[in-house]
Amino acid sequence: MTEALAPTRETAGSTVVAGILAYLQDRRLQPGDRLPSERDLAERLGVGRNAVREALATLVTLRVVESRPNSGIYLRHVARESSFEALVMLTDLGGTPTPTEVAETMEVRGHLEQLAAGLACQRRTDADLARIEDVLRHTDALLVRGANIAQADTDFHIALVDATHNSVLVRVLNAFYRFTARRRERMFEDAAQAHASVREHHRLLEHLRARDAAKAQLLILRHMDRARSYWSSVLGD
């Protein structure tokens, strides 16, 4: 295998993490259950023990499992104890969120987007507006071609939250955008959803220009409610 085709260490590590998670799911381990030893996991996954050790360290950091001295590795109650980054990582690795996880994350994201819209109206600069205008010009061109606007949609929301000039809010919402990336690609295969979203983005830009926080926040909530209704109909309540 050439160097260009060799997997990166990060990719290889993610594969081992995914393998461990698949094993836990297949075996239906419950919170508090003890995981097999590093040696057993390495044999099951066909990888070295160091790779398993690094993958388990990642899962410990994400609070999916816990290491008990002189005892072993145990599964945590993931829904209550793991980080949101764990949920994002599982999605990055190809996992499918449950309808409940989709609904709950959209509920939280809606209020974070509302906060972002309000702060952006207060703090946006001319450079922020120019960036958002560029994103929308690109998005409009994609619509004309009938292309999927998922990445452009992400670019718009990132530009909006960057206009808050709050680095913590940027980091938090970036995790939500990663979590929803594949799902939004599917939604924007629907041309009606794509056009509706872009119309709302143009209106949000006008509210940002006018620094009208109240209208921007009301619109972003309606924007999120429309997406929530779409997924409710697709996935079921």
Side-chain angles (χ1 to χ4, degrees):
M1 180 178 290
T2 66
E3 183 176 348
L5 295 177
T8 64
R9 181 174 180 177
E10 180 179 357
T11 300
S14 296
T15 300
V16 179
V17 170
I20 293 174
L21 292 171
Y23 169 81
L24 299 180
Q25 185 175 22
D26 290 343
R27 291 304 177 105
R28 300 184 183 277
L29 265 64
Q30 300 300 310
D33 286 350
R34 187 175 185 273
L35 274 64
S37 67
E38 289 179 1
R39 176 180 297 176
D40 287 343
L41 286 172
E43 291 177 355
R44 293 173 190 275
L45 299 176
V47 298
R49 290 182 64 181
N50 284 342
V52 169
R53 188 175 298 118
E54 291 179 4
L56 289 173
T58 297
L59 292 173
V60 168
T61 300
L62 294 172
R63 299 182 62 80
V64 174
V65 300
E66 64 174 325
S67 176
R68 299 179 187 174
N70 303 316
S71 180
I73 305 292
Y74 293 82
L75 183 63
R76 286 182 177 273
H77 195 297
V78 177
R80 288 205 306 256
E81 300 179 56
S82 68
S83 68
F84 180 61
E85 274 295 328
L87 191 59
V88 175
M89 187 189 73
L90 294 177
T91 304
D92 286 345
L93 293 171
T96 302
T98 67
T100 297
E101 288 170 339
V102 170
E104 290 178 349
T105 53
M106 291 189 71
E107 184 175 55
V108 174
R109 181 188 160 194
H111 289 287
L112 290 174
E113 294 276 9
Q114 182 184 34
L115 173 62
L119 290 176
C121 284
Q122 297 172 24
R123 301 174 181 176
R124 60 89 179 146
T125 64
D126 289 343
D128 292 323
L129 291 179
R131 177 183 172 188
I132 294 172
E133 288 167 357
D134 285 343
V135 170
L136 287 176
R137 276 193 291 270
H138 175 62
T139 310
D140 289 340
L142 290 175
L143 282 180
V144 170
R145 300 204 308 268
N148 194 300
I149 66 162
Q151 183 56 55
D153 177 81
T154 298
D155 292 342
F156 174 88
H157 284 278
I158 289 176
L160 176 64
V161 70
D162 276 345
T164 70
H165 300 277
N166 182 313
S167 63
V168 173
L169 189 55
V170 170
R171 293 177 188 178
V172 172
L173 276 168
N174 267 330
F176 280 86
Y177 303 147
R178 280 175 53 205
F179 178 70
T180 60
R182 286 189 302 147
R183 197 164 67 247
R184 282 182 291 110
E185 285 183 7
R186 178 181 170 187
M187 184 175 79
F188 290 129
E189 290 173 358
D190 183 331
Q193 290 295 325
H195 282 272
S197 181
V198 174
R199 284 195 299 271
E200 290 166 352
H201 286 181
H202 277 283
R203 289 172 58 200
L204 275 167
L205 174 59
E206 292 306 312
H207 297 328
L208 285 174
R209 283 200 185 100
R211 297 189 186 275
D212 194 329
K215 288 183 179 179
Q217 289 179 316
L218 181 61
L219 179 55
I220 201 73
L221 284 180
R222 289 176 177 169
H223 186 69
M224 295 302 301
D225 281 342
R226 182 178 51 76
R228 186 181 297 113
S229 296
Y230 172 85
W231 285 111
S232 179
S233 66
V234 170
L235 299 175
D237 292 328

